Amino acid sequence: MADMPHVLVVGAGAIGSFYGAIAKRAGCAVSVVLRSEYDVVRERGFAISSPLGDLSYRPDHVYRDGDTPVATPDYVICCVKVLPGIDRAALLAPWVGPDTGIVLIENGIDIEPAVADAFPDNPLISCLAFIAVSRTDEPAVIEHKAFGRLTMGAWPAGVTDDCRALEALFTDGGINVKLADQVVGERWAKSLWNTPFNPLSVLADGADTVTMLDTPGGEALAREMMAEVKAVAAADGHPLPDDAIDKNIAGTRKMPAYRNSMALDYLHGRPMEIQAILGNVVALAERYGVAVPRLSTMATVLAMRDRLAEGDA
Amino acid sequence: MADMPHVLVVGAGAIGSFYGAIAKRAGCAVSVVLRSEYDVVRERGFAISSPLGDLSYRPDHVYRDGDTPVATPDYVICCVKVLPGIDRAALLAPWVGPDTGIVLIENGIDIEPAVADAFPDNPLISCLAFIAVSRTDEPAVIEHKAFGRLTMGAWPAGVTDDCRALEALFTDGGINVKLADQVVGERWAKSLWNTPFNPLSVLADGADTVTMLDTPGGEALAREMMAEVKAVAAADGHPLPDDAIDKNIAGTRKMPAYRNSMALDYLHGRPMEIQAILGNVVALAERYGVAVPRLSTMATVLAMRDRLAEGDA
């Protein structure tokens, strides 16, 4: 056990503290960097209820900005929200040593370059989380409701020994891991749903999936937006299967009415990952010369709202 | 004066009571049909302040639904908001005689057929109002701030004797009237601005013109939406001038930051004329096979909001 890896989580919200718990369960030393919940976690650790059992744990070290790590971690797990004005590379820099593997568990398209450019010599592992986990009203008390699977690959492509080591670790900790040779393609597959539906639900004032699809013209609009995403994905070298849109719509139709995470962020007045989910897709479309009139309409309208809110503030 | 026309206003809100005042000033007998302000207007009439002077007046008759008119009016002026679920023809029916001219002073595209189909043998005069007039917090107290010009033509086209008689009457009353051989073309010219900017301001949470245009991508989006409107207008037989978009953008840039009437309706929780301003343009685009991806995205998102609001209600 002496050489179990040391994992450090930057951005230990619901998702970050959950995957920290999984690493802890696998026997790793797990440290966290916190802002608002520093004192609470230092005192009591994280309380995490889960169908996997009680995942509560005390991190081996609890850091805050400006601290120096006791030991250089083997893996830094970055679960920071991808937002304009948040310099994730700067947040990671104090904790990353020359051999530290950087693990992104974050949403969105084209979110790796900002980190990769800052740490060109470190292994970079890109992950997508399929999980239902949320904070509660009480600080550092987390509720894991369902799922937890990670899709994981080296960025920009491939499955490295680092990936396999991390896969083994998370599997030991109790979750499923899918290794992906083309993790960017996996991001596009997830984006096919998220890029239309997340911002659409915000523009539609927090509407759920059934409301959106059952509105006359709603399903057609969702399909057209998905086709725009699909075209950008193909231009980016990651063509999606022909039936991807049909399958996504059918899958959504099978679920009960559902408010996605961005709709919930909107309804709670929290920052939204619009740039990562939508803006970066529109930017890639421009770079490749792919027409995305519906997606860019949404992106511009949401930018107008931001500008209005800034002006009103 | 014995044969001065008898005018009856249906939908005597700010605009209806204003043009009633102008007809009154021209010497007409002016009656109104009211709902909520029936008692107040019966008792005190309308109080209307205006740069034209004090336009306050007592209608010759104040009616409400179910009443029978004392005399059949020569003109029925319809200033009802064009909203789904509001049957304007049914609202007009009790007041329209065989020779009554029906005058629409209303916004939107393709709003005449619902009335024309119900009264195929009556003259139908379609008008656009360029006016800044609003209710105050006090019932039947109206504030006319500026403008008042009407663009007027027979529907579907032409300038009839009825138009000229009405022009003379309103001119006597103190406003400018522009007679238009192609009033539908005039509607398209106004729609070039209203159809993009009105719903856009709603989706952008009540944003003003400067916020919308100064957002990165905002002016480009407005121009693309205007190009979509222009294409539908052309397909509808009403091509707009090549420089219409440039002129509209330049004109908007010259104005101070401005919240349009639909933005104000949105911010005050009032019903919005989305169908008349946007929905009918999208419907015509579908009929003519013109692609309007940005306009139809807006229309569908706004329909999703309506559906959500109905579900929540």
Side-chain angles (χ1 to χ4, degrees):
Chain A
M1 293 295 285
D3 54 357
M4 276 306 286
H6 183 170
V7 168
L8 184 142
V9 181
V10 177
I15 288 190
S17 50
F18 172 80
Y19 287 104
I22 297 298
K24 191 77 193 162
R25 247 181 144 206
C28 297
V30 175
S31 304
V32 297
V33 185
L34 289 172
R35 286 186 173 177
S36 54
E37 297 180 339
Y38 176 82
D39 290 325
V40 176
V41 175
R42 225 180 148 84
E43 196 185 322
R44 305 199 301 246
F46 291 104
I48 308 181
S49 63
S50 165
L52 301 174
D54 181 5
L55 300 184
S56 303
Y57 68 108
R58 281 177 175 272
D60 291 78
H61 300 98
V62 180
Y63 297 116
R64 56 185 157 188
D65 286 347
D67 286 351
T68 303
V70 173
T72 303
D74 299 292
Y75 296 103
V76 163
I77 300 183
C78 177
C79 298
V80 176
K81 256 187 170 180
V82 181
L83 298 171
I86 303 284
D87 183 342
R88 289 143 65 227
L91 292 176
L92 296 178
W95 319 101
V96 172
D99 300 319
T100 302
I102 302 176
V103 183
L104 308 180
I105 306 183
E106 295 175 311
N107 284 320
I109 287 288
D110 205 29
I111 60 149
E112 296 93 346
V115 174
D117 292 351
F119 307 100
D121 300 323
N122 289 76
L124 181 58
I125 299 173
S126 183
C127 303
L128 290 165
F130 296 82
I131 186 165
V133 63
S134 53
R135 292 162 180 262
T136 64
D137 290 337
E138 216 176 324
V141 178
I142 310 290
E143 196 178 0
H144 173 224
K145 288 168 196 153
F147 316 115
R149 178 167 60 86
L150 285 180
T151 295
M152 178 187 292
W155 189 84
V159 172
T160 57
D161 288 345
D162 279 307
C163 294
R164 274 182 278 265
L166 205 62
E167 176 208 15
L169 189 158
F170 279 126
T171 306
D172 277 356
I175 63 161
N176 292 321
V177 176
K178 172 186 165 187
L179 289 174
D181 191 56
Q182 296 290 332
V183 72
V184 174
E186 300 287 337
R187 286 196 177 272
W188 279 114
K190 193 173 182 186
S191 176
L192 189 70
W193 199 96
N194 284 352
T195 297
F197 278 101
N198 288 14
L200 203 49
S201 67
V202 173
L203 283 181
D205 208 22
D208 58 78
T209 47
V210 170
T211 299
M212 290 191 276
L213 286 177
D214 281 357
T215 297
E219 180 176 328
L221 177 60
R223 284 176 176 273
E224 286 159 342
M225 287 181 167
M226 288 172 134
E228 292 182 3
V229 176
K230 197 161 172 282
V232 185
D236 195 44
H238 298 282
L240 297 170
D242 285 344
D243 62 355
I245 294 175
D246 285 343
K247 279 193 171 170
N248 265 275
I249 293 287
T252 308
R253 287 275 186 203
K254 262 183 227 150
M255 293 191 305
Y258 163 72
R259 281 195 161 99
N260 62 60
S261 62
M262 194 183 279
L264 294 175
D265 284 344
Y266 166 75
L267 291 170
H268 289 96
R270 296 187 294 240
M272 298 180 284
E273 293 184 302
I274 287 166
Q275 186 63 38
I277 304 277
L278 172 64
N280 288 355
V281 174
V282 172
L284 286 175
E286 272 171 30
R287 193 189 302 167
Y288 298 130
V290 176
V292 290
R294 296 165 189 86
L295 297 181
S296 70
T297 296
M298 281 205 299
T300 303
V301 170
L302 289 166
M304 288 177 177
R305 284 197 189 187
D306 276 352
R307 194 178 181 91
L308 182 68
E310 282 161 22
D312 288 348
Chain B
M1 295 294 285
D3 54 358
M4 276 306 287
H6 182 170
V7 168
L8 184 141
V9 180
V10 177
I15 288 190
S17 51
F18 172 81
Y19 287 104
I22 297 298
K24 190 79 195 163
R25 247 180 143 206
C28 296
V30 175
S31 304
V32 296
V33 185
L34 290 171
R35 287 187 172 176
S36 54
E37 296 181 339
Y38 176 83
D39 291 324
V40 176
V41 175
R42 223 180 150 84
E43 194 186 322
R44 306 198 301 247
F46 291 104
I48 308 181
S49 63
S50 166
L52 301 173
D54 180 6
L55 300 184
S56 303
Y57 68 107
R58 281 176 176 273
D60 292 78
H61 300 97
V62 180
Y63 298 117
R64 56 184 157 187
D65 286 347
D67 285 352
T68 304
V70 172
T72 303
D74 299 293
Y75 296 103
V76 164
I77 300 182
C78 176
C79 298
V80 177
K81 255 187 170 180
V82 182
L83 297 172
I86 303 284
D87 183 343
R88 291 141 66 226
L91 292 175
L92 296 176
W95 320 100
V96 172
D99 300 318
T100 301
I102 301 176
V103 182
L104 308 181
I105 306 183
E106 296 175 309
N107 284 320
I109 288 288
D110 205 30
I111 61 149
E112 296 92 346
V115 174
D117 291 351
F119 307 101
D121 300 323
N122 290 76
L124 181 58
I125 299 173
S126 183
C127 302
L128 290 164
F130 297 81
I131 186 164
V133 64
S134 53
R135 294 162 179 263
T136 64
D137 290 337
E138 218 176 323
V141 178
I142 310 290
E143 197 179 359
H144 173 223
K145 287 167 196 155
F147 318 113
R149 178 168 59 85
L150 285 180
T151 295
M152 178 188 292
W155 188 84
V159 171
T160 57
D161 289 344
D162 280 308
C163 293
R164 274 182 278 267
L166 205 62
E167 176 207 16
L169 189 158
F170 279 126
T171 306
D172 278 356
I175 63 161
N176 292 321
V177 176
K178 172 185 166 189
L179 289 175
D181 192 55
Q182 295 290 333
V183 71
V184 174
E186 300 287 336
R187 285 195 178 273
W188 278 114
K190 194 173 182 186
S191 176
L192 189 70
W193 199 95
N194 284 352
T195 297
F197 278 101
N198 288 14
L200 203 49
S201 68
V202 173
L203 283 182
D205 208 24
D208 58 77
T209 48
V210 171
T211 298
M212 289 191 278
L213 286 177
D214 281 356
T215 296
E219 180 176 328
L221 177 61
R223 284 177 177 272
E224 286 160 341
M225 286 180 168
M226 288 171 133
E228 293 183 2
V229 176
K230 196 161 174 281
V232 185
D236 195 44
H238 298 282
L240 297 170
D242 286 343
D243 62 354
I245 294 174
D246 285 343
K247 279 193 170 169
N248 264 275
I249 292 287
T252 308
R253 286 273 186 203
K254 262 182 226 151
M255 295 191 303
Y258 162 72
R259 281 196 162 97
N260 62 60
S261 61
M262 194 183 279
L264 295 174
D265 284 343
Y266 165 74
L267 292 170
H268 290 96
R270 296 188 295 241
M272 298 180 284
E273 293 184 303
I274 287 166
Q275 187 62 37
I277 304 278
L278 173 64
N280 288 355
V281 174
V282 172
L284 285 175
E286 271 171 32
R287 194 188 304 166
Y288 298 130
V290 176
V292 291
R294 295 165 189 87
L295 297 180
S296 70
T297 296
M298 282 205 298
T300 303
V301 170
L302 289 165
M304 287 175 178
R305 283 197 189 187
D306 277 353
R307 193 177 182 91
L308 182 68
E310 283 161 22
D312 288 349

